Amino acid sequence: MASAEDLTFESRFQNNAVFIIDALGDSDLQTARRLNDDLSSLQLSDGSRYCHYVKVAALSEAEGVLQEILNSCQRGLKPVIHIEAHGSQVEGLQIADSQQFLSWEILAQWCLRINTITGNNLGVVLASCFGLYAITPITIHNPCPFYFLIGSNRTVSAGYIDDTMCRFYQRLFDERNLDEAMREVDEEFKQFQAEKFFCITFGKYMRRACMGKGANERVEKLISAALACGSPRTAENLKRLRASAKQFVRSLDRQRETYEKIGRFFLHGKLPIEFEEFARFVRR
């Protein structure tokens, strides 16, 4: 279950593989290789390996791996993509010693393609400094590039990554519960979850634009716009305009239509909860 305050909804994420992309330099602590060694014994019910590892030394190689993952998703793969690299708030993920960067924007584009094919079932773990900056391009007016992303909003030591990531994946594999697995890393890492992000963002919009002072301000703006377009400034017409504007701004049917339209677009067709339950939460 995922939760935003006291709003709860069923989390429908499922994964059947972890792909470790090792973009570290030769002189770095080899945390990605060690993670792969520690998880090599994990197997799915059909006997196939849960964890896969690949080393990349250039941007073209990293994008080639992402293309291979994309191709596999067309055959039913629902992966967690785990990337170990140095990170920059501005430039993105550094690929080994090549001084090339996989920018946050390009990473989001690759993830979006993969997430679309998987039906919003892509998980991303960025074991790097500033990995949480990968969510910077996200807006609910565009489809989400991943179901969840785990990253840090600051520098994080290789030792911490080495100490905690194996426990994170072991718990995720055993319990199939992302929130429980996060307990292993939440000292340094934060979680972005698409359904929570949508509910919080759309809830803020409703409170700001459809309720209270914000709604009243929108009503007045709509009246002013109608008058500017030549609508008569008579008492009777102003009364009619105000009633019509209030109905437009406060209409639950219109809010439901917007919630469902934007929610299905952002979440690739899946809404977290019905609008009525969501609206009750927002009003509280």
Side-chain angles (χ1 to χ4, degrees):
M1 298 290 287
S3 173
E5 301 297 338
D6 61 336
L7 176 66
T8 59
F9 47 86
E10 182 181 0
S11 176
R12 289 161 287 188
F13 168 78
Q14 51 184 302
N15 76 82
N16 53 20
V18 175
F19 279 82
I20 301 173
I21 300 177
D22 183 354
L24 296 170
D26 292 337
S27 61
D28 292 317
L29 183 64
Q30 298 302 302
T31 52
R33 188 167 297 169
R34 189 175 303 176
L35 176 64
N36 178 62
D37 291 342
D38 289 341
L39 299 179
S40 61
S41 63
L42 297 183
Q43 292 185 336
L44 300 173
S45 57
D46 62 2
S48 60
R49 289 189 64 188
Y50 181 63
C51 187
H52 308 267
Y53 168 90
V54 61
K55 178 79 172 179
V56 297
L59 179 59
S60 60
E61 294 180 11
E63 294 199 78
V65 173
L66 292 171
Q67 181 64 60
E68 291 177 9
I69 293 173
L70 176 66
N71 295 341
S72 297
C73 290
Q74 295 173 334
R75 300 188 293 272
L77 180 73
K78 293 181 173 64
V80 174
I81 298 177
H82 177 105
I83 303 179
E84 300 239 1
H86 294 290
S88 163
Q89 298 177 44
V90 176
E91 296 181 279
L93 298 172
Q94 183 179 351
I95 307 301
D97 298 320
S98 68
Q99 305 302 310
Q100 296 176 309
F101 281 87
L102 177 63
S103 71
W104 302 131
E105 292 77 11
I106 297 300
L107 176 62
Q109 291 173 21
W110 275 108
C111 289
L112 175 58
R113 295 170 64 190
I114 295 169
N115 199 36
T116 300
I117 292 176
T118 64
N120 198 25
N121 276 292
L122 172 64
V124 177
V125 178
L126 299 181
S128 70
C129 300
F130 306 112
L132 197 63
Y133 281 77
I135 71 174
T136 302
I138 296 178
T139 165
I140 63 170
H141 298 292
N142 293 311
C144 60
F146 26 72
Y147 182 80
F148 75 80
L149 178 138
I150 295 169
S152 178
N153 60 0
R154 55 189 179 183
T155 58
V156 58
S157 72
Y160 181 84
I161 292 172
D162 197 34
D163 289 341
T164 57
M165 279 299 167
C166 180
R167 295 200 303 270
F168 167 81
Y169 281 110
Q170 184 70 62
R171 195 161 180 179
L172 183 64
F173 179 83
D174 290 341
E175 301 185 27
R176 314 295 294 177
N177 187 310
L178 181 60
D179 290 328
E180 289 300 316
M182 278 299 298
R183 298 181 189 277
E184 302 294 342
V185 296
D186 61 7
E187 192 174 300
E188 293 286 348
F189 287 87
K190 308 295 182 185
Q191 176 191 164
F192 165 92
Q193 204 261 18
E195 290 174 331
K196 289 183 183 179
F197 179 81
F198 170 72
C199 287
I200 291 171
T201 303
F202 197 85
K204 288 180 178 178
Y205 157 75
M206 283 184 61
R207 291 189 63 85
R208 183 180 66 249
C210 305
M211 301 177 181
K213 181 180 178 181
N216 293 335
E217 290 175 351
R218 284 183 69 202
V219 167
E220 295 306 317
K221 287 180 180 179
L222 288 171
I223 294 171
S224 297
L227 295 175
C229 291
S231 188
R233 191 183 290 272
T234 64
E236 182 178 351
N237 189 53
L238 286 173
K239 182 178 179 181
R240 182 185 65 80
L241 288 175
R242 178 162 280 105
S244 177
K246 285 183 177 180
Q247 172 61 25
F248 178 85
V249 169
R250 298 181 182 274
S251 168
L252 283 179
D253 287 338
R254 185 173 298 279
Q255 293 168 28
R256 179 187 300 105
E257 179 183 353
T258 305
Y259 171 86
E260 293 178 352
K261 179 180 179 180
I262 295 178
R264 288 197 173 98
F265 184 62
F266 179 69
L267 297 168
H268 302 268
K270 296 188 290 189
L271 291 174
I273 58 172
E274 294 299 321
F275 173 76
E276 286 72 19
E277 182 181 353
F278 176 77
R280 286 195 295 271
F281 164 75
V282 174
R283 285 195 294 270
R284 287 200 301 271

